[in-house]
Every structure is written in C-alpha cells, then in structure tokens.
Amino acid sequence: MNIMMSVLHGLVLGGAYGLIALGLSLIFGVIRIVNFAHGAFLATSAYLYYVLFSSYGVDPFLGMILVVPIFFISGFLLQKVLIRPLLLRENASVLEPTSVMLFTIGLDYAMANLLLMIFTSKYRTVNSWSYSNYLRLFNATFVTQWSRVISIILAFVVAGILSLIMHRTELGKRIQAVSQNRDAAALCGVDVHTTYGIAFGLGSAAVAIAGACMASFYLVSPSVGNVFGTKSFMIVVLGGLGSLPGALLGGFIFGLIESVGAQFMTSSMANLLSFAVFLIVLVVKPEGLLGKKK
C-alpha cells in the first residue's frame, strides 16, 4: 500500500514538474534557444501571486487571470525588443546563438538578485484554500493538498491547449513552419520574429501558470527558480527537446523516481537516482524519449 501511495504522490509531483517544463520545451522547439532565465520567470511569477494573496487576498489560481496575460506580453516584448536583435546579428549561423544564451543567463542572475533585494531570502508561504485543504482517498491513506491535484490537472489542460494551438490553428501552422525552416517560412510570407515573439509569450504564460501551482504548495523564495529551473532543463532533455508530450512524460518520470525512491533511500539519494536516469537516457538516446532525430 505504501508503494501505491508513493506512486500516486509521484504522479501528482510529476504533473507539477511537467507543467514547469512545458513552457521551456515550447520555446526551444520553436526558437531553438534554451531560456536559462526560465527558473527566474517561475520565481517572479510565484512572488507576484504571493503579493496578490498577501495584499489583496487573491487566490493564486484566481490570480492567473491577471498574471498569465502579463507574462505573455512580457515574453513577447522580451523576444521582440531584446532577443530579436541578437538573433538577427547572428542570422542563424548556429543552432543556439551564443549571445542569446549568454543574455538569458545574465537575465536569470539579474532577476534572481532583484527578487533577493526586494523580498530578501526569507521564505514565504501562500496559505490559500488549496494550500490548507486536503484531498483524502482510500480511507485517508492517500492525502495530498488540493493545490497539487489542481497542478496535475492544469498540466494536462495546458499541454492540451498548446497542442491544440500547434496542430489545429493557423497560428500553430505558422509556428511549426518557422520551427522547421524559418527561411522558407519567411519566403512564404510568415513574419518570423513575430511568430517567435508569440511562441516566447506562450512559453512565458505557461511558466506563469506553473508559478501559481508552485506558490500554492511550495515555499516561495528567490532560490525556487534555481531548484525547479535546473530540474526543468533535465526534464525537457529527458522527454525530448521541443516535445510537449515529452515534457509531461519527463516530469512524471522524475516525480515517480523521487517519490517511490524515497521509500527505499534518502531524498537526496532519490534525487541522485533521477539524475542518473537522466544521464543514462542522454547517453543511450540523446534526442530524448519522445524527441526526433535531426
């Protein structure tokens, strides 16, 4: 029974991990750059939800109505104003322009230290309804916060919406065309950098949704971005760079390894085991579990 409960907890935790990784996977799949500021975006959104809750009593899941559009616009403008000139300068000379990589690394440090200056290193909690109430199943042998349950539901909802956009809309066709060959897409009349901006905005909006989940069941601090940002990179690579289903699959694998492994070893050893699985997959199948060979 303990193993079954650990599996259920692992699936719930994995849903949250997958939700964080979705935005990162989308951005790489389209623009072909790794956003090293992804963790800082997550921490910033979590603090926005904390401010909304502590100052105005707004539940994080309700606060998404305000925060998610802000992050979409911010991501769009970030790409159009700051990243676009870097991409134009290097003009697709490499798969991942070095200047963009360095820019996102610097942005990550800047945002993390700004949060540290404003909020200090003190841990904050968002004691909302979903944080303080629990779902109890199997005669209360399985108990978890409602915020975690909502997180796994949101992971599938966000993945479904993004997949619907990518495969069923005109915007999705443009995004796919740009991700496959941006020069050919430009010759067909597609505004490449506006499409990039939309993709970056969607990825930023996805991480803002993940921030609502993190703020609802995890301690909010400037370092939260480092913890989950690094893990999201590993999850995206494990599932396959640019693959939305792969991001969810990688999240569930990490969640299951950490939760079930903790029954037989310490938590730090379980984390080490998930890293070992990541390395093995990287060696055996470099494109990831659901990634496509180039």
Side-chain angles (χ1 to χ4, degrees):
M1 181 61 72
N2 286 337
I3 298 297
M4 182 59 67
M5 293 304 104
S6 297
V7 169
L8 291 175
H9 278 292
L11 290 174
V12 172
L13 179 62
Y17 284 164
L19 181 56
I20 297 171
L22 279 172
L24 184 64
S25 183
L26 175 65
I27 291 172
F28 179 86
V30 178
I31 312 178
R32 302 298 178 187
I33 62 171
V34 177
N35 179 20
F36 284 94
H38 191 73
F41 282 13
L42 176 71
T44 302
S45 67
Y47 270 110
L48 283 177
Y49 292 116
Y50 166 76
V51 171
L52 286 173
F53 180 80
S54 61
S55 300
Y56 306 103
V58 178
D59 186 276
F61 294 114
L62 182 61
M64 290 192 302
I65 298 173
L66 176 64
V67 176
V68 172
I70 290 176
F71 267 68
F72 174 82
I73 295 171
S74 299
F76 179 85
L77 293 177
L78 177 66
Q79 197 284 326
K80 290 284 283 186
V81 177
L82 297 176
I83 295 178
R84 177 176 176 269
L86 300 176
L87 289 172
L88 287 174
R89 187 178 68 185
E90 300 203 8
N91 196 27
S93 58
V94 291
L95 178 64
E96 180 187 342
T98 305
S99 58
V100 178
M101 179 184 69
L102 295 175
F103 170 77
T104 57
I105 292 174
L107 182 62
D108 176 68
Y109 278 102
M111 293 176 67
N113 281 281
L114 182 62
L115 291 174
L116 185 62
M117 290 172 58
I118 297 173
F119 297 101
T120 72
S121 59
K122 181 181 178 181
Y123 289 99
R124 319 288 175 125
T125 57
V126 180
N127 192 18
S128 61
W129 175 89
S130 58
Y131 176 87
S132 54
N133 286 272
Y134 294 81
L135 172 67
R136 293 175 171 83
L137 298 175
F138 310 114
N139 294 324
T141 55
F142 175 74
V143 180
T144 189
Q145 292 165 303
W146 270 106
S147 55
R148 294 176 181 265
V149 178
I150 296 172
S151 297
I152 192 173
I153 294 173
L154 281 176
F156 283 104
V157 170
V158 172
I161 291 174
L162 291 177
S163 296
L164 185 65
I165 292 173
M166 293 293 289
H167 300 290
R168 300 289 183 179
T169 66
E170 187 66 30
L171 170 62
K173 293 178 181 177
R174 294 202 303 270
I175 290 175
Q176 290 190 64
V178 169
S179 67
Q180 293 171 11
N181 191 319
R182 67 182 182 184
D183 293 328
L187 290 173
C188 293
V190 177
D191 188 333
V192 172
H193 290 284
T194 296
T195 305
Y196 278 175
I198 293 172
F200 208 101
L202 288 173
S204 300
V207 80
I209 296 174
C213 301
M214 289 295 102
S216 299
F217 68 80
Y218 199 81
L219 296 173
V220 180
S221 72
S223 62
V224 71
N226 296 330
V227 175
F228 290 101
T230 302
K231 195 162 290 187
S232 66
F233 285 121
M234 296 168 61
I235 289 169
V236 168
V237 174
L238 177 66
L241 287 167
S243 171
L244 298 179
L248 279 183
L249 177 61
F252 285 127
I253 290 174
F254 263 59
L256 286 171
I257 291 174
E258 292 180 9
S259 182
V260 177
Q263 294 292 317
F264 306 98
M265 60 189 77
T266 63
S267 297
S268 57
M269 285 299 295
N271 285 325
L272 183 61
L273 179 60
S274 62
F275 184 67
V277 170
F278 161 75
L279 289 178
I280 292 171
V281 172
L282 194 61
V283 171
V284 176
K285 202 171 186 293
E287 67 275 13
L289 296 175
L290 299 183
K292 298 179 181 178
K293 290 185 177 180
K294 300 298 181 182

